[in-house]
Amino acid sequence: MTLTLPRTQQLRLRENQLFLVLTILVGVLAGLAAVLFTVAIDQTGDRLFGLAPSQARLWLIPPAISIVTGVLLAKVFPEVRGSGVPQTKASYHLSKGQIPARVPLGKFITGILCIGSGHSMGREGPSVQIGAGLASVIGRWVGLPVARVRDLVPVGAAGALAAAFNTPVAAVLFALEEIIGDMNAALLGSTVVASVASVVVERSILGNEPLFHVPAYELVHPAELGAYAVLGVAGGLVSVAFCKGLLAGRALFRRLPASTTIWQPAIGGIVIGAIIARVPQVMGVGYQYIDQALNGGLLLQTMVVLCFVKLAATVVSYSSGNAGGIFAPSLYIGAMAGGAVGAIVHAVAPFPTANAGAYALVGMGALFAGIIRAPMTSVFMIFEITQDYQILVPLMVANMLSFTISRRLQAAPVYHALLHQDGVHLPAAPSPPTMRTAGEIMRSVPTFLHPDVSADTALQTLLAQNAPAALIGSDGRWLGTVDRDDLASRVAAGETAIPIGSLLDGEELVHVHPDHPLDVVIDRFPQTAGLLPVVSRADARRLVGVIALADILPRTGDTARRPSTETGQDPSRGGRFPI
Amino acid sequence: VASHDQQTPTDSVAEASDIRARLVHQETVRLIQLGILAVAAFFVTRALAVTDREMTRQSGIEWYDRGTRLLTAGDAKGAADAFRRAVVTNRRDPRYALALADALVRQHELEPARAALLALRRTMPEHPEINLQLARLAAARDNVGEAISYYHNALYAPWRPGDESRRRQIRLELIDFLLDQHQANAAISELVALGADAPDDPRVHIELARRFARAGDNRSALAWFQRALRRTPQDTATLMAAGEAAFALGDYRLAHQYFRGMPKEGVGTATGRVVDLIITNDPLAVRLGASERRRRLVADIAYAERRLDECRAPTAGSLDSAAEDLTRRAHLAEKQLQSRRSPDMDTIEAGVALMYDLLAAARRSCAETPHDRALILLAQHHGADKR
């Protein structure tokens, strides 16, 4: 007897089989791409700087290469600046995993040039973007449904990261914790398969050498936990300094005129050239110095200097728009900060302590947890590096403290904050299912007033519509909101002809996203002039609706519960006031 | 549209089937293409990785050579930096880490040097040179237990045939370290082990003997010096060292023989003179006539009395009763000896004891002369100090 499945089940089974095969192939190709990326960076660095680079080379190569990458990043591959992890997250959450083919290609080329030319950046973030990009391209090429293409993105990211760092478990956790943002994701199996396939390929090419050679450290004395707690606090503070420095530096470069975008990487290159001419240890990825710190091979003052110089160099390289990640720099800074704390503890503690290398190891994890905000990935990554769980308790103590301090002092995770600067707002945790969302209560967008419209004309328009505020914009993009009362006082003061665009103060615009629950709407509404804009997460300047007081009030009375018939936006409500 | 309208249900099913078959075929072809791409990419990447590895290995050699040149030129800091880079290129080559440790030690950076060696030792725990360097570092850090442990690791490492000499040198280094740390018993144990398979080479025998002497085992020291003298009986240094060992053992006659065997320029050593005085002033020496015994004893007591008198002079006027008693006993003994031509052994021993007491009293106020020392030693040799 032959059992015949219904057609739809047959198709689903076939799609699952196809997805499994693709998962393996994506893992292999992402792993190969990561290995190739690593080798290419090494080769580029060797060829550009040679064995013992002269001062002239150290000064000139970073800006010279950055001029080339500046052109590429501005004109050919504008999506590949920076790490690649935020972009991958944005693609997964906001673009259904659609990553153009030029992204992995551009990241590969610009990443090699930027990191190989001495910029203080990591190769793991770019590897993640390359792996995710390859997965997306392959998924589309094979003809997978859109949802399945999206599912392939974290699979490719996990595969690439597993090969780049030789830590398959940490790569899986990173994909779940950081890219997908859900540790219970249904893609666990696929990411594991890709990660394993990738690591098998990577080890068959590069051998089974661990990235770092680390002694078997352990907790020497119970009182040492206190010292590791101090390291956790120090790690948290350094993490915050790094994140704030990175965001401030980036904001500084973003404030420069748009015409300078092409030259910004070169500006960073000039600064990096000056830094590496004095402290060449902070060039590129710098894993050899992490290795030395992990083995207790660096002096206290050396580690302190390298910690701060690396932090500054990474901020400059990243802020100026070069292509490279912050994954490796965070490990580097953590190893140096941890090693420095360890050396001090070793010298002054009244109880026996581990070597400074043990603290460097824990410091790496603490900084990773504080900066990347992926504490589980951090713990497993260190575990995979050391192959020893004796150090896990101190590691968890330090990680927890660093993570907590970082979260307290820097609300948004760094990848989210970086995307926020680009006007991309990733969704937070899913809202409670019973709460209505902003998208459901908003009304359609009223007509924008052009920034060149005079204050007098704008006031007349608002009065005619009985609108509390004017939405100002052009070319379909929202530029800001002006309060009607503010406008009236300007007109009364005789400033009738001034363009309303000049009244915008350039501050952060209060808004919500369509998936924000009603409590967020209620929380933010009082900060507005009576009109709360609802903007796209993919582009914070694209208005998808507005919320007026009348849209909220009827729903607060019935505890803001979702109506039994789910219709989303109320079609009866148009863009015209009165409110 | 017209033709579509004219299609029968059977045609539609056939067309759908055909489309599905085409899609499946397309997917299969693309998967095969991807597979081929993956295999090709694997070989290309592997070839590039091999090239990269070879370049890395070559750059390691260049860094090592550069570090060696800098170290020779006295630039330990530059050398350490170069060796560090060499180590990164090949962690399994012990030359690099050993050279790095050496350069760091020259900069007095002991902890980083230790770290570099420990990192290497994790992959080669039984490498003798790594353990030796770690032992030296531990010794420099006054960590005696760790140093001994690493020295033992180096000694009991699997040595290649022909490296016995190097191994012996390491054991001698350990022995010297133990002696510096006043661990004489441990040093003697190592010396016994070293002596068990020592070659028949007088230089080795002398090395052993000197260290036995430093450890306070003069009997073994003398035995090894004697072995060396069998091969080089005229060697001045060995004769003198053997004389010293015999002297320390209280075998003054043997010591005298060795000192006499030395060329003239070596005879006048301090110990040689003391031994000479012992031999020529000992009233209890064997094969002496009775009158010679009496003469020597009288002379010794007279010398001792004179020394006590000299030493007492600066504080004259405050004569203590013990010294007066000793002087009185000396006078009495001299009178008795002059009245007896052949004193019995008890009398001579009592006289030697008196001489010892006189010199011991003198020594409390005066610096010891070689003659004083000789008489005290001969008295102690005959048990006068225990009477």
Side-chain angles (χ1 to χ4, degrees), chain A residues 14 51 141 205 292 295, chain B residues 27 30 53 63 84 115 122:
Chain A
R14 179 170 169 70
L51 193 64
W141 185 60
I205 293 173
Q292 285 177 32
N295 285 286
Chain B
E27 281 173 0
R30 290 196 169 170
R53 209 175 301 149
W63 278 117
R84 267 198 193 99
R122 276 192 294 282

Side-chain angles (χ1 to χ4, degrees), chain B residues 23-197:
Chain B
L23 282 173
V24 168
H25 175 72
Q26 183 187 335
E27 281 173 0
T28 309
V29 168
R30 290 196 169 170
L31 283 178
I32 291 168
Q33 286 174 336
L34 267 180
I36 293 167
L37 176 69
V39 171
F42 175 82
F43 285 109
V44 169
T45 308
R46 196 172 69 168
L48 287 170
V50 168
T51 310
D52 184 54
R53 209 175 301 149
E54 180 52 33
M55 281 182 68
T56 306
R57 196 186 67 79
Q58 194 57 41
S59 89
I61 293 168
E62 287 175 31
W63 278 117
Y64 177 72
D65 291 343
R66 183 184 170 83
T68 308
R69 282 198 301 276
L70 288 168
L71 201 60
T72 310
D75 181 3
K77 192 173 182 300
D81 194 42
F83 290 137
R84 267 198 193 99
R85 287 166 183 261
V87 167
V88 171
T89 62
N90 187 353
R91 292 185 179 94
R92 293 187 184 279
D93 192 331
R95 287 179 308 154
Y96 298 169
L98 285 169
L100 171 61
D102 184 28
L104 290 169
V105 168
R106 291 191 197 200
Q107 289 185 82
H108 308 292
E109 291 186 10
L110 301 186
E111 274 301 325
R114 182 168 173 270
L117 288 169
L118 283 175
L120 183 62
R121 190 176 181 272
R122 276 192 294 282
T123 53
M124 283 171 271
E126 295 188 329
H127 195 289
E129 289 298 331
I130 298 167
N131 282 295
L132 175 64
Q133 295 299 332
L134 281 166
R136 286 174 178 166
L137 280 176
R141 290 161 53 241
D142 290 330
N143 192 336
V144 179
E146 190 178 298
I148 293 171
S149 170
Y150 280 125
Y151 271 122
H152 281 155
N153 287 339
L155 282 173
Y156 300 116
W159 288 83
R160 286 174 303 185
D163 284 351
E164 290 80 9
S165 165
R166 178 80 182 123
R167 192 177 179 198
R168 196 165 48 249
Q169 285 302 320
I170 293 173
R171 200 186 283 276
L172 282 172
E173 191 177 315
L174 167 61
I175 291 163
D176 287 339
F177 173 69
L178 290 169
L179 290 171
D180 290 343
Q181 300 298 323
H182 309 293
Q183 297 202 12
N185 288 338
I188 290 169
S189 299
E190 295 296 337
L191 281 165
V192 170
L194 187 61
D197 57 354

Side-chain angles (χ1 to χ4, degrees), chain A residues 12 37 98 133 220 258 267 279 391 402-403 453 460 535 537 563 568:
Chain A
R12 185 160 298 153
F37 190 58
Q98 304 295 305
V220 176
I267 295 170
V279 191
I391 203 73
S402 175
F403 179 72
V453 169
Q460 295 307 318
V535 301
R537 282 195 178 276

Side-chain angles (χ1 to χ4, degrees), chain A residues 145 169-170 191 246 265 294 301 338 371 378 380 471 487 504 534 544 547:
Chain A
V169 178
T191 50
L246 199 66
L294 291 177
Q301 58 267 40
I371 294 171
S378 165
F380 276 84
L471 294 167
L487 208 53
L504 299 175
V534 182
V544 294
I547 296 172

Side-chain angles (χ1 to χ4, degrees), chain B residues 254-273:
Chain B
L254 185 61
H256 191 61
Q257 280 178 18
Y258 287 127
F259 284 124
R260 270 201 319 194
M262 289 165 66
K264 276 194 175 172
E265 64 270 23
V267 176
T269 61
T271 312
R273 282 201 301 278

Side-chain angles (χ1 to χ4, degrees), chain A residues 31-101:
Chain A
L32 287 170
V35 171
L36 200 59
F37 190 58
T38 302
V39 169
I41 289 170
D42 286 350
Q43 292 278 325
T44 307
D46 283 350
R47 288 179 196 285
L48 287 175
F49 291 103
L51 193 64
S54 62
Q55 284 287 303
R57 272 195 180 196
L58 292 169
W59 275 93
L60 294 176
I61 284 175
I65 297 294
S66 296
I67 291 171
V68 178
T69 51
V71 173
L72 290 173
L73 289 164
K75 302 289 181 191
V76 190
F77 309 114
E79 309 95 331
V80 302
R81 287 169 182 270
S83 160
V85 175
Q87 294 93 320
T88 305
K89 288 179 74 167
S91 302
Y92 178 79
H93 289 285
L94 307 175
S95 310
K96 297 175 181 169
Q98 304 295 305
I99 303 174

Side-chain angles (χ1 to χ4, degrees), chain B residues 349-385:
Chain B
E349 282 176 2
V352 170
L354 177 62
M355 175 198 73
Y356 178 79
D357 289 343
L358 286 163
L359 286 172
R363 198 167 54 172
R364 280 196 283 273
S365 310
C366 281
E368 195 179 70
T369 66
H371 199 157
D372 295 353
R373 190 166 176 232
L375 295 185
I376 286 171
L377 283 172
L378 77 85
Q380 285 173 336
H381 183 63
H382 295 302
D385 55 331

